[in-house]
Each structure stands twice: as C-alpha cells, then as structure tokens.
Amino acid sequence: QVQLVESGGGLVQAGGSLRLSCAASGRTFSSYHMGWFRQAPGKDREFVAGFAWSGGSTYYEDSVKGRFTVSSDNARNTVSLQMNSLKPEDTAVYYCAAGSGATWSGRPAYSYWGRGAQVTVSS
C-alpha cells in the first residue's frame, strides 16, 4: 500500500523558514516524480514544486522560485521542501504527491497523495 506522509508544517512569521518532508513507502518510486501542491481556504489546489527521482530534475511555480527548494534523501525515500522568505500568501495546506504523468504541474499527473500539512505565515 502506497503511503505519502508529510511532516514539518507549522506557524511562522513572515520572512521566516519552514521545512516540509514527505516520506514515501509502499512501492518503488524511481520512475516517478514527486510534487508539492498547496491549497489555501476557498482556493483550488495549486502546483508549487516538482522533483524527479531519476536524474534529480526540479521544477518550480513562478511565485516560489528563489525561495523554495526541493531536495531528496534517496536512502530514506524522502523528499523535502525548504521554504524560505515565507509570505502570508504562502499560507495553505501543503500536499505531497507522487505520479508518472507527463505534466508535472497538473494534478492528473499524480496518482498518490498525502494528507497534507498546514503552513501558516503570520504578517
């Protein structure tokens, strides 16, 4: 059974940093890519960043480029999202996802989803 478990959310002041982690288990993910999405209250779930286990490629949504960084711990099957210079508009529930679809930024590309981690940035 595939499981994605997020950890590391919390409350931080604007300008601060948080690190989210996603522990993946239940299958081999080497041919998959991992995505981070977020959903703010009353808004659609949106793509934030992506990572490919094979080759280590990364992809970021424009509003987080230069502030967020995706990294991996292959031995632990864990992908992390380092979030710096956080802004109140980054407040959302952040979801980890895994999939093999062609379009990294599209929700249909992902087959597996975590339950989410709350990130709150105060002004």
Side-chain angles (χ1 to χ4, degrees):
Q1 180 181 0
V2 173
Q3 279 194 316
L4 302 177
V5 180
E6 301 98 338
S7 61
L11 171 65
V12 66
Q13 289 188 331
S17 298
L18 281 174
R19 185 178 183 89
L20 298 176
S21 291
C22 174
S25 62
R27 66 158 296 141
T28 301
F29 290 94
S30 57
S31 63
Y32 275 46
H33 48 262
M34 306 295 290
W36 286 99
F37 287 73
R38 65 187 179 187
Q39 188 166 17
K43 295 188 177 181
D44 291 336
R45 192 172 300 187
E46 65 176 3
F47 174 80
V48 175
F51 168 83
W53 288 107
S54 178
S57 300
T58 55
Y59 182 70
Y60 298 93
E61 191 269 331
D62 285 347
S63 70
V64 307
K65 283 181 181 177
R67 300 189 299 123
F68 290 13
T69 303
V70 179
S71 62
S72 71
D73 182 339
N74 291 7
R76 297 184 178 184
N77 249 19
T78 299
V79 175
S80 296
L81 182 68
Q82 178 67 40
M83 304 181 291
N84 298 329
S85 302
L86 282 161
K87 305 174 181 180
E89 51 264 42
D90 294 318
T91 295
V93 177
Y94 283 70
Y95 297 89
C96 172
S100 57
T103 305
W104 287 24
S105 59
R107 291 177 61 181
Y110 297 87
S111 303
Y112 306 104
W113 292 84
R115 292 188 175 184
Q118 177 69 48
V119 171
T120 303
V121 184
S122 63
S123 58

